[in-house]
Amino acid sequence: MMKKKWGLALTSVLAASLILGACGNNGGNNEAASNNAGNKNGNASSSPAADDKIDTSEAVKLKMIMLGPKPADYDQVFGEINKQLQEKVNATVDAEFLDWSDWGQKYPLKFAAGEDFDLIYTSNWAQYNQQALKGGFLELTDDLLEKYMPQTWAAMPKVKWDQARINGKVYMVPGNQSTEFTDKLVLYRGDLLEKYKLQPIDSPETYKAYLEAVAKNEKGITPYGLEASDSKTHNLDKQLLLQKNGWNMLGDVPLAYKVDDPKGQVFNMYDTPEFKDLLAYYKELADNGGWSRNALTNKGDTTGDFKAGKVASMSHNISALGGIMAFVNNEHPEWKPTLADLSPDSKKSEAISTQNGIAVHATSKNAERALMVVDLLQNDKTLHDLIMYGIAGTHYEPVGDNQFTKVVDKFGNYNTFSNWAWNSPLNRVDTTFPQAAQDIQKKWGTQVYHYPLETFVFDNSKVLNEITNVGNVMLRYGVPLEYGLIPDTAKGLDTLQKQLKAAGIDKIHAELQSQIDAFLANQANKG
Amino acid sequence: MTERRHTFWRDIVKYRTLLFMISPAVLLILLFSYVPMAGIVIAFKQFDYKGGIFGSPWIGFDNFKFFFQSGDAWRVTRNTALYNIGFMVLGNVLQIASAILLFEVGGKWFRKLMQSALFLPYFISWVVVGSIAYNFFSYDVGTINSVLTSFGMERIDIYNTPSYWPYILLFFHTWKFLGYGTVMYLAAITAIDTEMYEAAEIDGANVFQRIMKVTVPNLAPTFIILMLLAVGNIFRGDFGMFYNMVGSNGMLFSATDVIDTFVFRLLMDTNDFGMSSAAGVYQSVLGFVTILTVNYAVRKYDKDRALF
C-alpha cells in the first residue's frame, strides 16, 4: 500500500515538472520586455547645470556594459580605475560583460527590458544603427559633448563625429584611432611553402597551389581553417571577391557596388561572371581537399588549431593575424608564419569611426557623469593605460611613452573585452607585433581609398521580411555551393539565383538603390 | 442564489488547508503563464523602446509576413510535427518496454543500476551531445569513417547527406529521454495493485499474459496523459537539439529544419521582437488547436481519460 502511494506521487511530480517546463517555454518570449514602460523620461540632457562649473558633489555609480568575457583580474584593475575616477569626477564604474557566445541575443534585451545602465559598447558591427534607430541611445548634441567631454571634443577630428551620424544625429563617442583596416589577408606556414618549392603567395592562384600541396602531402593538417562556420558567404569571399574587385557588399545581402563608381550602381554579386569564376576556383579547391568536408559543421577553433599546427593557413584581419603570428614566432619559429595579401594592388579600406565606440543609454540618469568618465578614459593618460592594458608591471610593461610589451601569462587576465571603445592617439604599440605586419599596414596606408558611400548606412526597416528570407537562402543554397559541396555547380548557381528572386532580392535591390541615390544627391548638394 | 454563495464560502472554509496547499502552484501558473500572455500583443506591433509593449504602434499581421513569405512555412511546420510525433511514439513505446523489462527482471541492485545508467544521458546537455555526434560522424576524423576505412570501405559523408538525419535525430532524442520516461512508467507500474498480479498468477497466467493483461492496461491512463501533454507542444521543435546537432549547415536544412531553428536563423541578425513573437504566437495557436482536437477525440472515446 505504501509502495503504491509513493509510486503515484512520483508519477505526478514528474508529470507536473513536464507541464511546468512547457509553460516556462511559452513565457520566455514575452516577459523580457514587460517593465519598460515606466522609466523613459530620465533624459538628463534637458537639465544642464545653471552655471559653467559642473556640479559633481554627489557621488554616482555608473553601470557599463562591455562585450567579451569578464577579465579574471577585473576587481584589481577596475578597483584602481575607480579610485582615480572617484578622485577626478566623483564617479565609479561597475562593468557588466556579455560573452562573445551570446552577446548578439542579450544586447537588444538590455534595451528592451529597460535595464538600468548608463554606458554600453557599440559599433557598426554591434547593432549601433539598429539600436539608435529604435531609440536605445541618448543623442549626443554638440553642446553636451563640448561641455562634458572637453578633451575628446578637442582631440577628435570633426570627420569622426560626422561618420557616426545617423539621420544627422550622433549617438556614440567613437574611438579616436588614426588607422584601422577592414581588409583581410591570409596567414600561412613558410616552412611548408619551402618544403614543396612553391612560389611565394601573393595571388589567388599561388594560394591555391599552396593549399593543394598541403592537402596532397600533409596528412593530418587541414589546409584552410574557417574563421566562422555560420557566416552567410564563404570566408574567403571578402578577399577573393570583394577586395580583389574593389567591391563593397552591403550588410548581409549579396548586393554590392564598386567603390570607385561615382553613381554607386548596385548589383547582385551572384549574377556576376567574377562570382562564377570564383565558384569554379572554390569547387576545384574543395575537390582537392582544400578544406574539410565538414566545413559547415565545423566545431573546431581555427586559431587554436593553427597554433597547434593542425591547420596550415587561415584568414582574418591584420591585427588578429599579427597577434597569432607573434605567438607562433615565439613557440614555433621553425614554422616561419607568413602573411600574404591575395590582392596586393587593390584599394584598401580604412575602418570608419563607428568601428568601435561607446554610447549612453537613452534612459541613463547620469548621462553627464557618464560622458565625463568616457572623456577621461579616452584622453587621460593614466586612466587610458589602465583601461586599455591593465596595471603596469602586472599585465604589461610600458616601453617609453607610446609602446608596451605584454606580460605573456598575465596580459590575458585583463585584456578580454571590448575596451577598444577608448582607442585614441594615446594607444601604445605592442613591441612584439611582428615587423611584417607593421610593414603591410604601412604599405596599405598608401593605398587607402576614400569614397563617398563609405559612411552610407542602409536602413532596412522597409524590407525586413525580404532581408530575413534572403539571408536564409544564402545560408541554405549559397554557402554549400561556395564550399564546393554541391556536385553540379552550374545547377546550384541557378537554384541559388531562383531562390533569391523568390525571396525578394529585387525589392531590396530597388530600395537600396533609391537610398544610395538619395544619399549621393544629398552629399552633392552639401559639397 | 444565496444558497449557492453560502455553499461556496462553506467549501472554502471547509477545504482551507487543501486550498492553502495548492495556492503556491496556482500563483506560479498565474505569474509565469497567464500574466506574460499579455505580451502577445507584441506580435501585432512595431516594437520600439519608447512605446514599450503597450505603447508601440499597431501593424496588424505584418510581423507574420516574413514567415509565410519564405515559402518554407509549410515544410518546417510539417517537419516539426513529424519529428515530434516520431519522438513521441518511438520514445513512449521504448520507455514502456524498458520499464516493463526492468520491472520484470529481479535483483534490486541490477534494477537500480540500469535505471541510473539509462537516466544518465538525460543530464548531458545538447551542446555536448552535438560534439559527441560530430566525433562520430565527421568525414575526416569521425569514428564511423575511421572504422569503415580500416575495413577498406568507402567513407560516408554524413554531414552533407540530409537523408540520414531523421534517423540520427530520432536516435539521439530517444536515447536522451529513455531513462526519464522509464522512471516515470516504472513508478506507474509499481503503483499497480499487487493483488492483481497475485490473482493472475493463481489463474495460471504466464509472464507475457501478465504483462499484456495487467501491466499494459494499467499503464494506459499514464500513457494517455503524457501523450496529451506532449501533443500540446507538437509544434515546438526542441531548439537545443536541432541547433546543436545541425547548426547552420545549409546542406541539411531540407531534412532538419523545424520552426524554431528556421525562425532563429531568419531573425538572427534582425533581432526583431515583433517578428519573433509572431512566430511564437503561430506555434502556440497551432498547439492550442491540436490539443483541443485531440482532447475532444479522447473524450469521445473515453470520458475519464481526457485531460479536461
Side-chain angles (χ1 to χ4, degrees):
Chain A
M1 196 58 206
M2 203 56 201
K3 201 175 170 192
K4 183 176 163 184
K5 267 191 183 158
W6 275 111
L8 207 65
L10 184 57
T11 320
S12 18
V13 167
L14 286 174
S17 70
L18 264 185
I19 306 179
L20 283 178
C23 295
N25 287 341
N26 296 349
N29 280 343
N30 304 332
E31 67 198 72
S34 63
N35 65 7
N36 180 37
N39 58 356
K40 58 191 169 201
N41 296 323
N43 191 336
S45 64
S46 54
S47 56
D51 50 49
D52 268 6
K53 188 91 179 87
I54 301 164
D55 175 24
T56 57
S57 55
E58 195 187 334
V60 297
K61 200 166 171 182
L62 298 169
K63 191 160 169 222
M64 172 167 88
I65 296 175
M66 291 275 112
L67 306 186
K70 182 175 179 175
D73 290 348
Y74 169 81
D75 289 336
Q76 196 186 352
V77 182
F78 271 74
E80 190 58 39
I81 290 175
N82 281 333
K83 218 190 289 168
Q84 302 236 4
L85 285 176
Q86 182 104 52
E87 221 169 83
K88 288 178 171 141
V89 290
N90 202 13
T92 51
V93 172
D94 186 15
E96 184 188 335
F97 297 86
L98 306 181
D99 222 323
W100 290 126
S101 54
D102 55 3
W103 70 271
Q105 284 97 55
K106 283 189 179 159
Y107 195 95
L109 286 178
K110 292 280 163 199
F111 295 93
E115 266 190 42
D116 186 17
F117 64 89
D118 304 289
L119 291 167
I120 187 162
Y121 176 84
T122 186
S123 158
N124 51 29
W125 53 264
Q127 310 191 359
Y128 175 56
N129 301 306
Q130 284 143 290
Q131 302 303 339
L133 290 171
K134 282 189 189 161
F137 301 137
L138 180 72
E139 188 202 336
L140 304 176
T141 59
D142 287 1
D143 293 343
L144 268 182
L145 294 171
E146 202 173 349
K147 177 154 187 196
Y148 298 107
M149 311 191 72
Q151 301 189 60
T152 311
W153 187 246
M156 185 94 65
K158 193 169 172 302
V159 59
K160 297 220 186 256
W161 293 117
D162 286 341
Q163 288 176 343
R165 279 181 205 282
I166 293 179
N167 298 333
K169 293 173 180 171
V170 175
Y171 294 96
M172 73 145 83
V173 180
N176 183 11
Q177 201 178 23
S178 49
T179 43
E180 190 179 342
F181 298 99
T182 55
D183 285 76
K184 293 203 167 177
L185 67 177
V186 295
L187 179 64
Y188 68 96
R189 288 192 24 194
D191 62 332
L192 294 178
L193 194 84
E194 284 165 20
K195 190 166 159 194
Y196 301 111
K197 306 205 169 48
L198 298 166
Q199 298 236 323
I201 298 174
D202 60 358
S203 65
E205 289 70 36
T206 44
Y207 188 48
K208 182 158 171 269
Y210 170 77
L211 293 180
E212 283 171 350
V214 174
K216 201 167 149 210
N217 303 308
E218 298 286 335
K219 291 280 163 259
I221 298 186
T222 308
Y224 174 72
L226 269 63
E227 281 166 54
S229 56
D230 58 354
S231 108
K232 290 182 184 146
T233 54
H234 193 296
N235 286 170
L236 288 171
D237 276 6
K238 171 96 173 117
Q239 294 182 60
L240 299 178
L241 199 58
L242 303 178
Q243 286 169 210
K244 183 170 169 238
N245 298 311
W247 297 351
N248 188 26
M249 178 176 155
L250 281 150
D252 274 327
V253 289
L255 297 172
Y257 57 82
K258 270 184 145 52
V259 293
D260 55 3
D261 175 1
K263 282 218 216 89
Q265 206 71 42
V266 176
F267 55 89
N268 185 339
M269 297 186 334
Y270 293 157
D271 291 341
T272 58
E274 287 89 342
F275 183 72
K276 212 171 165 193
D277 293 345
L278 184 63
L279 271 187
Y281 174 93
Y282 282 153
K283 178 75 181 133
E284 239 174 88
L285 255 180
D287 290 346
N288 293 334
W291 45 76
S292 156
R293 280 195 67 82
N294 300 320
L296 300 186
T297 318
N298 184 21
K299 303 230 179 216
D301 154 33
T302 295
T303 304
D305 285 349
F306 187 87
K307 288 176 180 172
K310 283 192 245 165
V311 158
S313 84
M314 60 183 293
S315 56
H316 216 298
N317 62 31
I318 190 148
S319 46
L321 290 184
I324 298 166
M325 192 175 169
F327 178 91
V328 175
N329 269 334
N330 215 14
E331 303 273 312
H332 296 282
E334 74 280 7
W335 290 354
K336 300 184 186 151
T338 316
L339 288 167
D341 183 356
L342 298 183
S343 47
D345 302 322
S346 67
K347 301 181 171 72
K348 304 300 173 195
S349 307
E350 210 174 75
I352 60 170
S353 69
T354 52
Q355 185 75 6
N356 291 298
I358 192 150
V360 180
H361 191 195
T363 61
S364 164
K365 292 182 196 71
N366 294 302
E368 302 93 343
R369 210 71 68 86
L371 289 174
M372 291 161 79
V373 165
V374 174
D375 194 30
L376 288 174
L377 290 174
Q378 194 174 85
N379 296 289
D380 182 280
K381 182 79 180 158
T382 350
L383 276 165
H384 183 78
D385 277 348
L386 276 170
I387 194 94
M388 297 303 286
Y389 312 108
I391 290 171
T394 309
H395 301 103
Y396 76 103
E397 292 294 344
V399 180
D401 257 357
N402 50 16
Q403 284 186 311
F404 78 106
T405 314
K406 295 173 185 174
V407 174
V408 175
D409 51 341
K410 284 281 189 194
F411 192 70
N413 288 352
Y414 173 68
N415 223 293
T416 58
F417 65 100
S418 60
N419 51 4
W420 324 301
W422 295 282
N423 276 337
S424 81
L426 297 176
N427 276 17
R428 293 168 180 272
V429 178
D430 182 359
T431 50
T432 58
F433 195 67
Q435 190 58 42
Q438 292 187 38
D439 290 346
I440 289 181
Q441 279 178 325
K442 211 172 284 166
K443 174 170 175 284
W444 283 6
T446 64
Q447 289 169 273
V448 169
Y449 184 72
H450 288 284
Y451 50 98
L453 282 171
E454 215 168 23
T455 58
F456 169 77
V457 173
F458 182 35
D459 174 7
N460 63 14
S461 54
K462 277 193 204 140
V463 286
L464 219 45
N465 292 330
E466 287 74 19
I467 299 252
T468 56
N469 282 308
V470 163
N472 180 44
V473 168
M474 290 168 76
L475 213 49
R476 181 163 169 205
Y477 300 98
V479 174
L481 179 67
E482 291 195 83
Y483 281 101
L485 297 167
I486 310 273
D488 185 345
T489 315
K491 212 171 127 205
L493 182 59
D494 191 46
T495 316
L496 173 64
Q497 285 163 337
K498 276 198 190 117
Q499 293 285 345
L500 274 177
K501 279 244 180 319
I505 188 80
D506 293 337
K507 195 172 163 195
I508 306 176
H509 193 149
E511 173 69 22
L512 178 61
Q513 190 67 61
S514 80
Q515 285 188 25
I516 285 188
D517 291 348
F519 181 90
L520 289 175
N522 193 21
Q523 274 204 335
N525 286 343
K526 254 194 265 171
Chain B
M1 186 68 200
T2 42
E3 180 60 23
R4 211 197 292 157
R5 213 159 78 201
H6 187 63
T7 43
F8 176 72
W9 283 112
R10 227 185 22 208
D11 279 352
I12 288 199
V13 176
K14 189 172 164 196
Y15 298 117
R16 59 186 181 276
T17 326
L18 291 176
L19 286 171
F20 177 71
M21 281 166 72
I22 203 180
S23 59
V26 170
L27 206 68
L28 213 67
I29 299 266
L30 271 180
L31 206 62
F32 289 107
S33 301
Y34 278 85
V35 174
M37 258 190 229
I40 284 183
V41 294
I42 296 182
F44 306 95
K45 292 195 157 197
Q46 175 83 52
F47 183 79
D48 62 51
Y49 302 136
K50 286 199 192 76
I53 296 183
F54 299 106
S56 299
W58 293 92
I59 52 165
F61 281 90
D62 277 7
N63 282 332
F64 291 82
K65 274 190 189 149
F66 82 99
F67 186 63
F68 296 101
Q69 201 171 305
S70 66
D72 280 335
W74 158 243
R75 185 178 57 86
V76 295
T77 308
R78 186 202 57 198
N79 274 4
T80 316
L82 285 180
Y83 269 115
N84 279 324
I85 291 172
F87 295 157
M88 231 156 69
V89 173
L90 189 72
N92 275 294
V93 167
L94 288 178
Q95 285 158 10
I96 291 177
S98 79
I100 291 176
L101 284 177
L102 278 182
F103 181 71
E104 292 296 335
V105 297
K108 196 177 168 198
W109 275 104
F110 178 73
R111 200 198 288 180
K112 291 270 176 220
L113 191 77
M114 287 306 287
Q115 212 172 311
S116 311
L118 284 178
F119 215 124
L120 193 67
Y122 181 75
F123 295 106
I124 304 177
S125 107
W126 281 119
V127 182
V128 178
V129 177
S131 303
I132 294 176
Y134 182 73
N135 283 304
F136 270 121
F137 302 143
S138 148
Y139 187 77
D140 338 273
V141 291
T143 318
I144 292 183
N145 278 320
S146 305
V147 171
L148 284 181
T149 42
S150 72
F151 285 117
M153 297 193 313
E154 282 288 303
R155 283 173 189 275
I156 43 176
D157 199 354
I158 298 170
Y159 274 108
N160 296 322
T161 318
S163 57
Y164 297 138
W165 281 83
Y167 305 105
I168 294 175
L169 292 169
L170 211 55
F171 170 80
F172 275 101
H173 192 277
T174 312
W175 165 78
K176 195 159 173 346
F177 291 101
L178 184 61
Y180 190 83
T182 303
V183 170
M184 197 138 39
Y185 282 114
L186 205 53
I189 295 178
T190 6
I192 298 172
D193 197 339
T194 42
E195 280 174 23
M196 284 205 233
Y197 288 105
E198 282 158 20
E201 227 163 307
I202 290 167
D203 288 347
N206 64 23
V207 179
F208 295 104
Q209 282 166 332
R210 221 162 58 211
I211 291 173
M212 295 315 291
K213 304 283 183 202
V214 182
T215 315
V216 172
N218 271 300
L219 282 180
T222 315
F223 174 73
I224 290 177
I225 288 186
L226 288 178
M227 280 303 221
L228 280 174
L229 290 176
V231 160
N233 280 328
I234 202 165
F235 291 104
R236 284 177 200 285
D238 186 339
F239 179 79
M241 164 164 108
F242 287 95
Y243 187 68
N244 285 301
M245 299 287 287
V246 179
S248 35
N249 184 340
M251 290 298 283
L252 302 178
F253 289 164
S254 60
T256 62
D257 245 359
V258 292
I259 300 177
D260 299 71
T261 47
F262 180 70
V263 168
F264 170 78
R265 200 164 64 241
L266 255 58
L267 302 181
M268 187 160 54
D269 301 311
T270 45
N271 279 314
D272 191 284
F273 295 114
M275 285 152 98
S276 15
S277 305
V281 169
Y282 171 72
Q283 288 178 305
S284 301
V285 169
L286 282 184
F288 185 64
V289 171
T290 326
I291 198 162
L292 282 185
T293 320
V294 175
N295 192 59
Y296 177 76
V298 172
R299 226 151 79 124
K300 274 248 142 140
Y301 166 74
D302 181 350
K303 214 169 175 186
D304 293 333
R305 290 188 175 166
L307 266 187
F308 47 85

